[in-house]
Amino acid sequence: MEGTLFTAVLVLLLSLSHAKPLVDLWRADGVQPEDPEHVGMTTRILQANNGSSRLLLEGDLLVASNRNAMICYLNSCLWKKSANGLVEVPYVVSGEFTAVEKELIESAMLAFSCTTCVRFVRREAQPDYISIENLDGCYSALGRTGGKQLLSLNRNGCVYYGIVQHELNHALGFYHEHTRSDRDQYVRINWENVDPSQYHNFEKQKTNNQNTPYDYGSVMHYDRTAFAIQNGLDTITPIPDPAVPIGQRNGLSQIDVLRINKLYGCCE
C-alpha cells in the first residue's frame, strides 16, 4: 500500500512542470549526484553505451536477432491492442535494481498510463515481454520483437526518468526524432562536426510521422552535440532558428503522447 501511494505521488510530482527525474535528486545511497544539470540525456546514454558488447544503431537501438532493429514494416512490431482498447506490454524487472530504482522505473511506466492507452503490466505467463535488466548500457530493440526482449538500464548511468521513458518509447516502436524522414526541413546535420565513424547514426529512416509536427522537445530527440568529433561542437542545428532548444530528459512531451495515441489508436 505504501509503495502504491509513493508511486502515485511521484508520478504526480513528475508530471507537473517537467519536474526533475528522481535520480537527478538523489542516488540510491543518498548521495547528491555531482552537478547533474550539466549532463544531457544523450551524453548519459552514449557514455553508458561506450564499450558495450552489443550491436547498437543510433547509439541505443539493439539489433534484434530475428530482424533488422531499424525495420518495422506495416506496424509489424507493435504491441497488440486488447478488446478493452488497452495495449498491454508485459515486463519483468531484474532483482539487481534497488527498491528506489524499481520505484523510478515503474513510475516512468505509470506515466504512460496517465496519458495513453498503453499499460505496462507485470508479466505473468505472457510469451512476449520486456525484460528490464542491469546490463552494459542504456538500450532497447525497436518495438515488439517476440519472446523475451531485453531493455538495458545500467545502474551506473541509465536509471533516470527521461532515459527510462526514452528506451520504453523505443520498445513501443518509436525511432529517434532526428532521424525521421522529413528531418532536413527542421534540423541541419553538421557533418563536418560528426565523428566519421558515427555517420550511420544520422541516416534518415522511413518513418510514419502520423501528420504530427517535428518535435524539438521530444524525449526521443538527441542533443545538439550527439556523436560530435570533439566536445562542444554542434552536430544537430535547428532551422530556421539555431537557438531553439533540442533534446530533453524530463519525460514524454505532449507530441510524444500524441504520437503514441495515434500509432496505437488510443482515441478510436
Side-chain angles (χ1 to χ4, degrees):
M1 180 65 181
E2 291 180 357
T4 302
L5 178 60
F6 177 85
T7 300
V9 172
L10 181 60
V11 170
L12 175 61
L13 292 174
L14 289 170
S15 66
L16 296 175
S17 303
H18 290 127
K20 290 184 180 180
L22 175 61
V23 182
D24 276 0
L25 300 177
W26 70 80
R27 292 205 315 246
D29 58 7
V31 178
Q32 176 75 21
E34 182 178 354
D35 199 19
E37 293 302 325
H38 291 81
V39 181
M41 182 176 70
T42 304
T43 299
R44 289 193 187 279
I45 290 175
L46 298 182
Q47 286 178 345
N49 292 349
N50 184 29
S52 172
S53 60
R54 308 281 176 166
L55 178 57
L56 302 174
L57 301 178
E58 293 186 15
D60 70 336
L61 275 168
L62 178 65
V63 176
S65 59
N66 61 338
R67 62 173 169 82
N68 185 323
M70 303 304 292
I71 296 177
C72 180
Y73 291 132
L74 301 176
N75 297 337
S76 60
C77 69
L78 298 187
W79 295 85
K80 302 303 181 183
K81 192 174 184 180
S82 303
N84 61 7
L86 299 179
V87 178
E88 293 191 346
V89 182
Y91 72 92
V92 296
V93 179
S94 169
E96 293 186 35
F97 294 101
T98 67
V100 170
E101 290 164 342
K102 288 180 180 178
E103 290 280 7
L104 180 129
I105 292 168
E106 293 188 339
S107 72
M109 291 178 168
L110 189 57
F112 286 80
S113 301
C114 297
T115 53
T116 77
C117 62
V118 173
R119 301 292 185 270
F120 291 96
V121 297
R122 293 181 181 177
R123 181 188 183 232
E124 295 177 353
Q126 299 94 326
D128 297 346
Y129 66 99
I130 297 171
S131 180
I132 301 173
E133 303 183 20
N134 171 35
L135 300 176
D136 56 348
C138 325
Y139 52 78
S140 170
L142 180 69
R144 178 179 58 84
T145 61
K148 172 184 176 180
Q149 64 183 71
L150 296 177
L151 189 155
S152 175
L153 295 172
N154 184 273
R155 294 185 59 220
N156 294 318
C158 304
V159 188
Y160 289 81
Y161 188 81
I163 291 178
V164 174
Q165 290 198 336
H166 180 100
E167 301 305 338
L168 289 173
N169 235 22
H170 279 321
L172 290 177
F174 288 92
Y175 296 82
H176 292 115
E177 190 75 356
H178 75 278
T179 63
R180 63 182 262 173
S181 57
D182 61 350
R183 67 103 187 274
D184 290 336
Q185 301 176 44
Y186 305 99
V187 296
R188 180 178 68 251
I189 305 303
N190 303 311
W191 295 102
E192 69 279 9
N193 294 340
V194 178
D195 182 339
S197 68
Q198 304 299 322
Y199 283 168
H200 60 282
N201 292 316
F202 290 92
E203 293 180 3
K204 289 185 291 186
Q205 305 300 327
K206 295 180 179 179
T207 54
N208 174 7
N209 301 321
Q210 302 165 38
N211 294 317
T212 59
Y214 190 91
D215 186 10
Y216 298 106
S218 170
V219 75
M220 305 307 292
H221 205 307
Y222 268 4
D223 300 337
R224 62 177 66 239
T225 59
F227 305 105
I229 197 170
Q230 178 181 327
N231 288 340
L233 295 177
D234 285 1
T235 56
I236 307 173
T237 301
I239 52 178
D241 183 1
V244 170
I246 60 173
Q248 50 88 11
R249 62 181 184 187
N250 296 325
L252 298 172
S253 70
Q254 291 183 344
I255 296 177
D256 287 329
V257 170
L258 174 63
R259 287 178 186 154
I260 294 169
N261 286 330
K262 288 173 74 75
L263 183 63
Y264 281 96
C266 294
C267 299
E268 293 179 358

